[in-house]
Amino acid sequence: MQEQNQSAAGSPQQALEQIVAAAVEPEGFVVEKAVVVGATDVPTVQVTLDRAHGVEGVDMDAVAHLSQVVSAALDDHGESVPGVGTGEYLLEVSSAGIGRPLTERRHWARNVGRLVVVSVDGAAPITARVLEVAADGVELAEHRPGAKKGMPAKTLAPVRVPFAQLGAGTVQVEWGGSQQSTGAELCE
């Protein structure tokens, strides 16, 4: 029966992702990644999760609870875990964190107010603040560094960019509280 489940799911990684997804979806989460890594004697099953909806992140209490949910699902699957087999393994459950590329609407929505680096229409990447996320795209205000050292950065007028024109965004860590900018200080 397990062999049928694995072949129906495709690769061992796909089978693993399906098992984890079935366990976490009722909890309101989605699987970003589920892979087996490390040594063959005691491999590690790494599971990265995100909230399916909303703009709040994944806190430590949720990770602890989801670790138990995923562990139970893998135990219930039987003696053979896809990609691991019948031996022991370590389970690591985490959120994607700030380093995850912004590729889906929910990723962008969770980062409204933050500074990102993103390519628009395949052009060179720009640094911009995410001001708003709509069903069809993102409103960005490009930030350009000062012309000379010590000169203030310039923020350009907001532009609505359809998702189809956005590359994968990368959140930039800001020190000093600038992330809560509302865009009211925009220059023309």
Side-chain angles (χ1 to χ4, degrees):
M1 172 97 176
Q2 281 177 240
E3 290 175 12
Q4 290 174 340
N5 287 343
Q6 188 167 322
S7 64
S11 72
Q13 180 176 342
Q14 290 170 324
L16 179 63
E17 287 178 359
Q18 287 179 357
I19 294 166
V20 175
V24 301
E25 284 173 3
E27 304 284 333
F29 289 83
V30 294
V31 178
E32 291 277 332
K33 179 177 75 169
V35 296
V36 178
V37 299
T40 55
D41 56 339
V42 183
T44 300
V45 176
Q46 291 180 337
V47 176
T48 306
L49 303 173
D50 194 13
R51 289 193 187 277
H53 306 286
V55 295
E56 62 187 68
V58 182
D59 61 28
M60 293 305 291
D61 290 338
V63 170
H65 171 69
L66 293 167
S67 293
Q68 294 174 346
V69 169
V70 171
S71 179
L74 294 175
D75 289 348
D76 291 347
H77 182 68
E79 289 186 23
S80 181
V81 173
V84 173
T86 58
E88 293 182 11
Y89 62 92
L90 300 174
L91 177 62
E92 292 180 0
V93 177
S94 66
S95 68
I98 199 163
R100 171 209 29 227
L102 308 179
T103 58
E104 297 186 29
R105 183 189 182 285
R106 64 186 162 81
H107 299 160
W108 289 96
R110 193 159 292 123
N111 288 287
V112 168
R114 292 188 183 238
L115 207 58
V116 299
V117 172
V118 62
S119 175
V120 177
D121 261 346
I126 62 168
T127 300
R129 188 159 314 277
V130 180
L131 300 179
E132 183 179 297
V133 178
D136 61 340
V138 176
E139 185 172 290
L140 299 172
E142 184 177 355
H143 282 247
R144 292 195 178 155
K148 295 181 182 177
K149 186 176 180 177
M151 293 183 73
K154 183 175 183 179
T155 302
L156 305 181
V159 177
R160 174 84 54 180
V161 182
F163 286 114
Q165 294 177 349
L166 287 174
T170 305
V171 174
Q172 301 301 293
V173 176
E174 295 181 81
W175 306 104
S178 298
Q179 295 179 26
Q180 300 308 315
S181 169
T182 63
E185 73 288 347
L186 297 175
C187 300
E188 300 262 341

